[in-house]
Amino acid sequence: MSENHPDGFLKHPREAIAYRDPAARIGDYKEVYQETWEEKRLAAQGARCMDCGVPTCMGGCPIGNIIPEWNDLVSRNQWLEALERLHATNNFPEFTGYTCPAPCEPACTLAYNDSPVAIKSIERAIVDRGWDEGWIVPEPPARRTGRKVAVVGSGPAGLAAAQQLNRAGHEVTVFERDDEIGGLMTYGIPDFKFAKFRVARRVDQLSREGVAFRTNVEVGRTMPLQTLRDEFDAVCLAIGAQQPRDVPMPGRDMGGIVFAMDYLVKENRRQAGKEISDPVSAKGRNVVVLGGGDTGADCVATAHRQGAKQVVQISINTKAPPERNSGNPWPEWPLIYRKTYAQEEGGEEEFSLDTVAFLDTDGDGDVNAVGAERVEWTYDRNGRRVEKKVLDAELKIPADLVLVAIGFRGAQMGPFANSGLEVTPRGTIKTDARMMTSLPGVFAAGDANMGQSIVVWAIGEGRDAARCIDGYLMGASKLPASLRTPNPPLNV
Ligand SMILES: Cc1cc2nc3c(=O)[nH]c(=O)nc-3n(C[C@H](O)[C@H](O)[C@H](O)COP(=O)(O)OP(=O)(O)OC[C@H]3O[C@@H](n4cnc5c(N)ncnc54)[C@H](O)[C@@H]3O)c2cc1C
Ligand code: SF4
């Protein structure tokens, strides 16, 4: 029990930083969350933390953020110290403070029979304050090692790896195929979920620390991987897992069927005032989003902002229950139904619909409807669909624009086809316990290593890879280990 605020959770109800009114936010591309927060209220939220002997919240956070410590510091108005604790485990707390699904919160002890501490809101408040106060500044290394590392890909994994390696004294160059740095934080996640100035600010920090950035370089195509291996002492591949999963159904080659990522990136580019080839707009159209996940939700929210006539998001799976079932106890992530921020803004959700065909009813070559079956699934104990019973085979859903958001098949390995890099059956880059690939001195991190995941995992992967690379180059590493891999074997 916390010494400083033993009964905070009895005095203060949970109060997270709110989202803006859906009716207002749908009319713009500003972030969906409230822009400001009150220091006093956040301090009270920090005081709700019981500082449990075993902080299960930290186990829920993939990078092991030292949550009880910064909760306590915030409750005592020690914001600078809280920021230092936060940065000890997380290079970019605003990336997570704004976008993380917060697996720490259902793992909080209070969540057992009460509302959890508003951990994500406190994290965001600490880092917001850090930027506002000018506390976040470049931290260049005191000494250089003379070793050079190339990081390929500039998403959260690549940026975290680059910052850690540079702070260990290595000379780091980040290579990125896009025209902007940031990976999915820049091109993928909608502007209204994560404003892009937040990435630019970190790129500026890294540049001032000494990290070099080269955009419009696609390694394996415009720059051979072997050149990097020859010119650098180590290479870190943080290329993401953006290979989209397709729907090979009758009618797939019709017009009006677009991968979610193509659609979302075009909107990011439009918001940035950049050139777009073949623009896609949902304005006045019946939109069907295939896929019940978060990428699908971002498509729903984007389509509404573009002025869609109707948006239906289809999930093949059965709707999750409203409460945890007995096989899914605390502190596990609750497998329950949650209405997404996108559905709060409008649209319809359909579950247990198996899409079977794209239909062109007027013969103009463009899709007009999606043919689907209403089904009932039997699942195995691992949650895999094994058997389906068709309840209605004749469903037709109007669709002038279909957005395919049914997941990803692993890393985009086309450019590395003849490189000797081995891949796993899941399409990720094969690595050993040191995060090294089948090519000596070449490492992999982030979604490229673990498959499409979430931002906090990518940051953790980048930090772990940096520690492994530092150990490979120097024989040992003083870079911090993450909770997941406390002691990755070093140069063995
Ligand atoms: C639409 C969408 C919304 C999401 N929303 C959230 C969210 O709200 N919260 C959350 O936690 N997670 C979210 N995620 C997941 C999260 O964005 C990813 O897990 C995370 O960005 C992975 O980071 P990464 O650095 O491994 O890869 P990425 O962010 O994918 O970055 C990989 C980078 O490598 C570059 N690259 C690839 N190949 C090459 C090459 N050959 N040469 C040079 N560069 C190359 C790419 O251009 C890209 O910039 C979302 C994902 C998507 C698709
Ligand atoms: S990074 Fe995510 S899981 Fe970790 S403390 Fe922050 S919100 Fe929680």
Side-chain angles (χ1 to χ4, degrees), residues 99-101 152-158 175-178 182-185 188-190 193 217-220 238-242 261 264 295 298 408 412 415-416 445-448 452-456 458:
T99 71
C100 191
V152 183
S154 67
F175 294 86
E176 169 55 56
R177 71 177 172 195
D178 284 335
L184 290 170
M185 305 305 301
I189 298 182
K193 242 171 79 176
V217 180
E218 185 168 15
V219 174
I239 59 172
Q242 298 187 21
M261 275 297 290
L264 294 172
T295 304
D298 290 345
F408 297 87
Q412 292 178 313
F416 303 101
D447 283 2
Q452 187 69 229
S453 182
I454 53 175
V455 171
V456 59

Side-chain angles (χ1 to χ4, degrees), residues 60-63 65 67 70 90 96 100 102-104 119-120 123 456:
C61 172
I63 46 177
N65 271 343
I67 298 164
W70 37 262
N90 187 349
T96 46
C100 191
C104 54
I119 300 169
K120 178 178 165 181
E123 181 175 32
V456 59

Side-chain angles (χ1 to χ4, degrees), residues 50-204:
M50 300 188 287
D51 194 11
C52 317
V54 179
T56 43
C57 55
M58 280 179 65
C61 172
I63 46 177
N65 271 343
I66 314 163
I67 298 164
E69 288 195 11
W70 37 262
N71 280 340
D72 178 50
L73 288 163
V74 164
S75 78
R76 293 187 284 123
N77 286 314
Q78 297 191 15
W79 292 84
L80 175 59
E81 291 78 2
L83 181 68
E84 284 164 1
R85 290 292 195 291
L86 190 47
H87 272 143
T89 49
N90 187 349
N91 297 65
F92 314 118
E94 66 277 30
F95 289 14
T96 46
Y98 281 79
T99 71
C100 191
C104 54
E105 293 192 2
C108 167
T109 306
L110 275 178
Y112 189 73
N113 61 354
D114 194 352
S115 306
V117 173
I119 300 169
K120 178 178 165 181
S121 297
I122 296 173
E123 181 175 32
R124 172 191 152 180
I126 295 169
V127 69
D128 276 358
R129 177 91 189 252
W131 283 110
D132 289 349
E133 299 277 357
W135 291 333
I136 301 175
V137 291
E139 295 174 37
R143 271 183 298 278
R144 289 284 171 191
T145 61
R147 304 297 170 97
K148 291 168 68 184
V149 184
V151 174
V152 183
S154 67
L159 291 180
Q163 188 166 58
Q164 292 297 94
L165 285 162
N166 184 69
R167 287 183 177 173
H170 308 304
E171 203 180 298
V172 181
T173 306
V174 178
F175 294 86
E176 169 55 56
R177 71 177 172 195
D178 284 335
D179 59 353
E180 292 288 349
I181 296 296
L184 290 170
M185 305 305 301
T186 299
Y187 288 141
I189 298 182
D191 294 53
F192 48 82
K193 242 171 79 176
F194 190 73
K196 306 312 168 193
F197 78 89
R198 302 188 194 285
V199 182
R201 210 163 49 175
R202 284 294 180 179
V203 174
D204 183 55

Side-chain angles (χ1 to χ4, degrees), residues 296-327:
D298 290 345
C299 291
V300 170
T302 303
H304 279 132
R305 279 164 182 72
Q306 291 180 344
K309 185 169 154 198
Q310 168 182 293
V311 186
V312 182
Q313 185 178 11
I314 294 180
S315 174
I316 192 171
N317 284 312
T318 312
K319 188 174 180 179
E323 305 280 345
R324 287 175 185 275
N325 65 36
S326 57

Side-chain angles (χ1 to χ4, degrees), residues 401-454:
L401 176 62
V402 177
L403 301 170
V404 180
I406 57 165
F408 297 87
R409 286 194 297 120
Q412 292 178 313
M413 295 304 288
F416 303 101
N418 301 312
S419 64
L421 280 171
E422 288 178 27
V423 290
T424 68
R426 294 172 56 230
T428 55
I429 302 175
K430 193 170 170 189
T431 54
D432 62 16
R434 294 171 298 173
M435 301 180 81
M436 202 192 286
T437 68
S438 47
L439 299 177
V442 179
F443 295 75
D447 283 2
N449 184 40
M450 66 183 301
Q452 187 69 229
S453 182
I454 53 175

Side-chain angles (χ1 to χ4, degrees), residues 288-442:
V288 166
V289 177
L290 297 185
D294 289 342
T295 304
D298 290 345
C299 291
V300 170
T302 303
H304 279 132
R305 279 164 182 72
Q306 291 180 344
K309 185 169 154 198
Q310 168 182 293
V311 186
V312 182
Q313 185 178 11
I314 294 180
S315 174
I316 192 171
N317 284 312
T318 312
K319 188 174 180 179
E323 305 280 345
R324 287 175 185 275
N325 65 36
S326 57
N328 174 218
W330 175 89
E332 283 178 10
W333 177 252
L335 301 170
I336 55 170
Y337 170 75
R338 295 176 187 80
K339 196 167 195 151
T340 62
Y341 79 99
Q343 288 293 339
E344 278 170 4
E345 296 171 351
E348 281 175 46
E349 275 178 294
E350 287 281 359
F351 295 89
S352 304
L353 277 196
D354 194 3
T355 315
V356 290
F358 298 111
L359 310 170
D360 171 13
T361 48
D362 60 9
D364 68 353
D366 290 338
V367 67
N368 306 116
V370 167
E373 295 172 341
R374 170 89 50 207
V375 295
E376 200 175 273
W377 292 105
T378 311
Y379 290 89
D380 69 12
R381 61 172 59 182
N382 297 318
R384 278 189 295 255
R385 294 183 298 272
V386 282
E387 207 180 298
K388 88 171 173 184
K389 187 166 138 197
V390 178
L391 307 178
D392 181 352
E394 300 292 325
L395 292 175
K396 256 190 220 166
I397 302 161
D400 322 300
L401 176 62
V402 177
L403 301 170
V404 180
I406 57 165
F408 297 87
R409 286 194 297 120
Q412 292 178 313
M413 295 304 288
F416 303 101
N418 301 312
S419 64
L421 280 171
E422 288 178 27
V423 290
T424 68
R426 294 172 56 230
T428 55
I429 302 175
K430 193 170 170 189
T431 54
D432 62 16
R434 294 171 298 173
M435 301 180 81
M436 202 192 286
T437 68
S438 47
L439 299 177
V442 179

